[in-house]
Each structure stands twice: as C-alpha cells, then as structure tokens.
C-alpha cells in the first residue's frame, strides 16, 4: 500500500503570510471597510476565500463576502504581475520533501489556494512535479471539510491508515481527522501548538526537520 503525505501550502510549505495580510488590506481598502488586524488575517489563512472573508468581516452579508473575495483575487493577481508576491519556502522544507521521497512516500497538496495560485507557487520553486495530487479550493469545500484529503487518497491509491496530513492550522487538523488520516501540526506556521492540538493534531513539529521522527511514531501508532 502506498503511503501519502498531504501538505498544506500557505504556512506549511511557503511563508506567504505577509503577502496575504497586505492583499487583505488592499482589498478591504477598495471597499472602504475597516482593515482587519494582521493577527486576525493570519488566523484565517488556509480557509477558502469566501469563508475567510466571513470571519474577517462578520458584520457584512454573504453577498459582501463574495465581493470581497473577488476583489482579493484581483488584488493578488495584480500584486503578482507587479512582482509584489513573496512566498518563500520555509527553511528545511526541501530537505523534508527529499527525505520523504527517499523513504517511499507519495506527496500531495491540499490548499485553500486556487489552481492557478498553487501552480504558480509550486512552479516558482520547481517542486510542482513532485506532487502526485494537487487539491485546491477551486474544486472542494473549504477546510476543515475532508474532501481534499479524500480525493488525494483516491488519486494516490492509499487509505487513511497510510496517510498523514501536515499543516499549520487547526483547519488542516480537522480536515485530517474528518478523512480518518493522521494529523501532524506544522508549528512553524500561523497557528500555535495549542491551537493545533485543540484542532485535533496527533503531534506538533516545531520545524520541518522535526517531522520525520514524529512521522515514524505516528504511523506506528496508527497501524497498531
């Protein structure tokens, strides 16, 4: 049976927080509404856009949330065209991907990004071809719905007992649990360890280099 590691993108593979916070500010400014605090913006990273806007502007209506999301997309696209998008890989991520592949793991991504946004991000770092399954908000409900992980498992030919989700938010941990997979918190991202554990994390790694020993223990526990 194949083993599958499903990674979140923003806050797990890449450090895109500053760009996301700046884009939220630009989008909200265009609508003349109060700009949410940066901490609140970072807290919703990982959700699909409309769901994120609902949390950032709870007093606005559903139609407004859709409009804010569309404006955000336009602002992000403009920022990319102008070279203002900064999404560096976290230190240690490439080594982690290399180690997992050497150990026979298949790799996948489950993200609140769009197909276009994810492809641009992964191709920029020349890692797009390393993932056997790419699941995005374009084709799935927002996290923590398990749909993305279930589809990734189907495409990779694996089952929940051989799958682990690695993500930096409680939304990722809930998604993993809903799919029956193991959940490993990426403590280097945007939710702290307490939030990850409260969201269902089986363990939390403080940095990418800490993932492998935790991963071995989690899979042993999952498979008895």
């Amino acid at each position: 049976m194949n083993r599958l590691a499903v990674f979140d993108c923003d806050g797990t593979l890449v450090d895109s927080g500053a760009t996301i916070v700046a884009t939220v500010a630009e989008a909200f400014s265009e609508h003349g509404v109060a700009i949410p605090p940066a901490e609140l913006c970072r807290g919703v990273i990982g959700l699909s856009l409309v769901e994120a806007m609902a949390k950032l502007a709870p007093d606005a209506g559903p139609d407004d949330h859709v409009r804010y999301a569309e404006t955000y997309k336009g602002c992000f696209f403009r920022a990319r065209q102008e070279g203002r998008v900064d999404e560096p890989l976290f230190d240690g991520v490439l080594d982690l991907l290399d180690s997992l592949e050497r150990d026979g793991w298949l790799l996948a991504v489950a993200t609140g990004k769009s197909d276009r946004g994810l492809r641009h991000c992964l191709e920029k770092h020349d890692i797009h071809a390393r993932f056997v399954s790419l699941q995005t908000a374009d084709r799935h409900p927002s996290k923590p719905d398990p749909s993305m992980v279930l589809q990734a498992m189907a495409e990779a030919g694996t089952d929940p007992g051989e799958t682990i989700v690695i993500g930096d938010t409680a939304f990722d941990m809930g998604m993993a649990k809903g799919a029956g997979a193991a959940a490993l918190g990426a403590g280097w991202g945007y939710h702290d360890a307490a939030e990850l554990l409260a969201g269902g994390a089986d363990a939390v790694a403080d940095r990418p280099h800490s993932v492998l020993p935790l991963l071995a223990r989690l899979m042993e526990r999952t498979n008895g």
Side-chain angles (χ1 to χ4, degrees), residues 192-211:
D192 62 27
E195 291 176 285
L196 291 166
L197 291 168
D202 296 302
V204 177
D206 60 352
R207 57 196 176 96
H209 290 123
S210 304
V211 167

Side-chain angles (χ1 to χ4, degrees), residues 20-45:
I20 291 172
V21 169
T23 307
V24 168
E26 187 175 341
F28 275 55
S29 294
E30 287 195 15
H31 287 281
V33 296
I35 297 172
E39 183 177 354
L40 183 58
C41 294
R42 285 191 291 269
V44 302
I45 291 174

Side-chain angles (χ1 to χ4, degrees), residues 95-109:
D95 289 341
L96 174 58
L97 297 181
D98 288 342
S99 296
L100 288 170
E101 288 184 321
R102 280 197 301 270
D103 287 346
W105 286 81
L106 299 177
L107 307 177
V109 176

Side-chain angles (χ1 to χ4, degrees), residues 96-203:
L96 174 58
L97 297 181
D98 288 342
S99 296
L100 288 170
E101 288 184 321
R102 280 197 301 270
D103 287 346
W105 286 81
L106 299 177
L107 307 177
V109 176
T111 177
K113 284 183 176 296
S114 66
D115 287 332
R116 181 176 66 181
L118 179 60
R119 174 175 286 276
H120 188 278
C121 177
L122 298 182
E123 287 183 345
K124 178 180 179 180
H125 297 296
D126 196 27
I127 59 173
H128 185 272
R130 303 182 75 158
F131 298 96
V132 301
S133 179
L134 299 172
Q135 305 303 322
T136 76
D138 283 347
R139 287 166 285 114
H140 295 279
S142 179
K143 300 173 183 179
D145 188 286
S147 174
M148 285 192 271
V149 175
L150 294 172
Q151 184 61 34
M153 289 191 295
E155 292 181 5
T158 190
D159 61 31
E162 300 296 333
T163 300
I164 189 161
V165 174
I166 303 168
D168 71 300
T169 71
F171 316 128
D172 297 307
M173 303 300 95
M175 176 178 65
K177 294 291 114 175
L184 180 58
W188 58 87
Y190 305 133
H191 285 191
D192 62 27
E195 291 176 285
L196 291 166
L197 291 168
D202 296 302

